[in-house]
Structure formats: structure tokens, C-alpha cells
Amino acid sequence: MSVFYVPAVNLIGKGVINEFGDHVKELGFKKALLVTDHFIASSDILPKVTAPLDTAGIGYVVFEDVDPNPSCKNVYDGLAVLKENDCDFILSVGGGSPQDAASCISIMATNGGTPQDYEGLHKSKEKGLPVVAINTTAGTSAEITINYVITDEERKVKMVMVDKNSLAIMSVNDPELMLSKPADLTAATGMDALTHAIEALVTPGAYGVTKKLSIGAIELIKEFLPRAVKDGQDIEAREAMVNAIFLGGMAFNNAGLGYVHSMAHQLGAVYHLPHGVCCAMLLPIIERENAKRVPAAFRDVAKALGLVTDGKTDEECADYAIAEIENLSATVGIPKKLTELDIKEEEFDFEYLSKNALIDACAPGNPFMPTLEETIAFYKELF
Ligand SMILES: [Fe+2]
């Protein structure tokens, strides 16, 4: 038996941002804690979100202090603003960071406790305070998933929470909100989306519905991510990427992820690197290993990436898929080595990061469980 989670209401397409206020009004909410980051708060995105709220007569207070790789402090600060202002719902506006911070604030608003209490699988008892999630990048898909990630600053680990009580009640994906995103961010978030779709396709947790969703996402990303990176104003490419992240988000939300994410989380926690860049660098390394264990799973990956698979062996399909992943990464300008990001091998704590990768919540979704020594060797490939 498989359970399929997705928000009850999802607005997708050009211009849907102009309609979301009416949908929120229908739900009867009065005042939002608008959770976002400084970049969005000072951009032209914020007025595009607040204008429909004003028209619908819905109040809001802006909390804009969410950091990239959001911390426990961000969550406590946001929760304090929520309580001071008697907000009855949360409106998250941003990419993965504001969405993840909003999920944790939502759970703590109704369940109390600390962020650490919710690390792992379905740890909360009560549904979170309702979240309306407006996405501005393509994408983490955090606006439609039951997962969120919060950095524990003291332990320098990213805590992964998988919690059905954190699912947003409404998501909004309008490509017009993504037009101003710079090329490097578009590339990184797009490669994160590719990682979601591929990990969700080769995991043993994949099943009929999620496989088709993953394949659709991979096809769209292969065709449209280079276009969105090359010309951010290409609305057709931006809209295709919105469709891709919605498909891929539904896939991994219900099939799970794998060891690329387990290892990427540790790089983000210790070095504060962009999540999508970490995923993109690790993706060929881990999939090359996965292909040795489950080569048949790579037929669909190769096909979605453009290979005519008839007459090809599983191994040929896997080789093609991994080469295409590397090509796409290079085309959109992702670095190959950590040294390009000013990280020195002699200062890299291989053992610490590898031990934390092994206990990351995404690890059990991988087709095989690496050892500590293997994980260290995978990190070494990044130098
Ligand atoms: Fe991700």
C-alpha cells in the first residue's frame, strides 16, 4: 500500500499569484505570518504577493529573517513574531529556505517543543498551523512536500524532518515570480529538481504513479533547464520548469530520496553551500554506484534523458544516463570540484560529514546502504 501526499489546493501557471488572495479568503483566514528572506523582501516579488492580500482584506506581518539553510534561531524568531501578532496562518514566500522555516514554525506553533523534537519520521502529534506556500524558485518543491530541513547550528548538522502534519494546505507556483532569478540560482535549483526526480525513480520506494511523475520531470528538465539558465526571461522555459518541479516534487514526496541528499545535506550544514550545487556535484558519483546495484532502474532514467533504449543493455543505459547528468551540469555551469568553491581537502572533515550522512533521514531510500569508508571515498571524489 502506498499513501500519496499532495496539498489539497495547488495554483499553477502564469498569473496565478493574482488569484491566490481570493482562495485564502475562502478558507476564512484573517492574518498571515509572511515568512520570507531579505532578498525577496526587498525585491519586486513581495508587492506581487501582498497586493492580492490587500485586495482580499487579509492582514499580514512580514518576518524576513530566514537565512539560506535556515537555522533553529530563525524558527524561534519567526514563532515569536507569530505569537506576538496573533496570526492564524502562515504564508511562506520563497524557495526552499523560507518554506522549510515556515514548516517548522507551523509545527511548533501547534505542538510546542523544540525543532530537534521533530527530527525523523512523523514525530509531531498535531497538524501544524495552516501554511499557504508561495514558491519563487524551480526548485526544491518544498511548497508541496512533507519534508523540511533545519540546521542545528550547535551540532552543525541538517536535521531532516519528514512529517505529514507539515504539508501546506495550498501551494502557489507562478513562473512570473521566477523571471528575476539569476542564472546560477536557476541552475542550482534546477539541478536539485533533477536530483529529486532521479533519486525518486531509482529508489526501491518508487511505484507506478511516482515513476511516471519522475520521468515527466526529467524530460522537462533536460529540455528546458538550459533555456531557463541561458535566458531568465524565457517564460516558456520557466513555465516548463514549474511543471517539472511539481511533477518531481510529487514523485519524491511519495517515493523518497536517496544518498545524494544524505551527503548534500552535510555539505550544506558545514560549508553553507547552495543545496542544488551540492546535489549536482554528488549526483553522478552516487548514481554510478547505484547503477552497479540496480542497473535496470536506469533504463527509465536514460529514456527520459533522450536515449532510444531498445537493444541497449541496462549497463549501457546507465552509462548514458550518468554522462547526460554530467553534460547537463556542465551546460548550466555547475562546478565539478569543491576546490572551485574554495574548500580545501586538507581541512575537510571526511569522517564527521560521512558519519552524519550515514544517519541522514534520506539514506534508507537509497538502493544500497554505503559504508563509512565508501562515503569517505565518495566525498574524496569531490576533490
Ligand atoms: Fe533537494
Side-chain angles (χ1 to χ4, degrees):
M1 191 187 85
S2 299
V3 182
F4 194 93
Y5 293 106
V6 68
V9 180
N10 303 280
L11 310 184
I12 308 170
K14 274 185 289 182
V16 290
I17 191 66
N18 303 317
E19 299 166 23
F20 95 97
D22 295 335
H23 290 272
V24 172
K25 195 175 180 182
E26 271 176 27
L27 295 168
F29 296 124
K30 301 276 187 291
K31 190 175 187 182
L33 176 74
L34 194 160
V35 176
T36 191
D37 58 32
H38 296 307
F39 173 79
I40 289 168
S42 59
S43 75
D44 65 348
I45 293 174
L46 196 66
K48 287 178 184 164
V49 170
T50 55
L53 291 175
D54 292 336
T55 304
I58 296 159
Y60 53 88
V61 52
V62 177
F63 172 69
E64 61 172 88
D65 293 342
V66 178
D67 295 316
N69 298 315
S71 64
C72 295
K73 181 180 186 307
N74 294 160
V75 172
Y76 286 119
D77 290 349
L79 190 62
V81 177
L82 182 140
K83 287 180 176 168
E84 279 162 24
N85 290 278
D86 290 326
C87 301
D88 59 351
F89 77 110
I90 296 172
L91 182 65
S92 51
V93 183
S97 301
Q99 304 300 344
D100 284 0
S103 294
C104 197
I105 294 168
S106 151
I107 289 295
M108 285 175 59
T110 52
N111 287 269
T114 68
Q116 286 79 1
D117 293 339
Y118 305 106
E119 187 176 8
L121 297 180
H122 305 295
K123 291 285 177 66
S124 71
K125 291 200 167 59
E126 305 293 333
K127 277 205 177 304
L129 195 69
V131 175
V132 173
I134 298 178
N135 182 28
T136 64
T137 63
T140 64
S141 303
E143 73 284 358
I144 63 166
T145 63
I146 59 173
N147 316 309
Y148 60 99
V149 181
I150 301 294
T151 298
D152 183 329
E153 309 92 305
E154 284 180 20
R155 289 188 294 148
K156 285 192 178 172
V157 291
K158 279 193 166 190
M159 299 182 290
V160 179
M161 290 79 155
V162 181
D163 189 346
K164 58 184 184 241
N165 286 332
S166 73
L167 185 65
I169 57 165
M170 185 193 301
S171 78
V172 181
N173 265 296
D174 187 336
E176 289 181 351
L177 296 183
M178 300 166 190
L179 293 173
S180 60
K181 295 293 169 199
D184 57 349
L185 185 73
T186 303
T189 52
M191 290 303 292
D192 183 28
L194 181 71
T195 307
H196 296 152
I198 292 176
E199 290 211 287
L201 188 49
V202 303
T203 176
Y207 55 97
V209 172
T210 66
K211 285 181 183 175
K212 287 292 185 191
L213 294 169
S214 288
I215 290 166
I218 295 167
E219 289 170 349
L220 287 169
I221 293 166
K222 156 124 191 204
E223 184 174 354
F224 290 100
L225 178 60
R227 271 177 59 175
V229 171
K230 193 171 174 205
D231 176 10
Q233 296 295 316
D234 182 341
I235 189 70
E236 189 191 2
R238 294 288 193 187
E239 184 144 44
M241 285 303 296
V242 157
N243 290 333
I245 59 154
F246 196 77
L247 293 168
M250 286 193 287
F252 87 82
N253 195 33
N254 296 290
L257 290 170
Y259 212 58
V260 178
H261 270 79
S262 302
M263 290 182 66
H265 288 150
Q266 314 318 318
L267 290 173
V270 176
Y271 295 104
H272 308 291
L273 299 174
H275 171 68
V277 172
C278 301
C279 286
M281 288 194 299
L282 287 160
L283 185 59
I285 296 171
I286 300 303
E287 298 318 329
R288 199 169 282 124
E289 295 300 317
N290 283 339
K292 292 177 191 166
R293 277 83 174 182
V294 289
F298 284 80
R299 289 197 86 80
D300 283 341
V301 182
K303 204 169 177 181
L305 285 169
L307 182 71
V308 177
T309 55
D310 294 348
K312 299 280 192 307
T313 65
D314 292 343
E315 288 72 19
E316 285 170 331
C317 291
D319 288 346
Y320 172 89
I322 289 153
E324 277 302 295
I325 291 167
E326 290 178 325
N327 284 343
L328 191 54
S329 245
T331 302
V332 300
I334 300 283
K336 275 189 95 166
K337 302 289 178 189
L338 284 173
T339 40
E340 295 170 60
L341 301 167
D342 294 329
I343 293 171
K344 296 184 175 67
E345 185 170 3
E346 57 273 20
E347 292 168 10
F348 193 91
D349 193 340
F350 288 97
E351 188 145 330
Y352 180 78
L353 271 79
S354 300
K355 279 183 174 165
N356 284 328
L358 287 168
I359 55 171
D360 182 273
C362 295
N366 205 60
F368 79 106
M369 191 65 207
T371 63
L372 178 64
E373 290 70 29
E374 285 172 320
T375 308
I376 289 171
F378 300 154
Y379 277 127
K380 289 211 161 162
E381 287 192 51
L382 293 176
F383 291 93

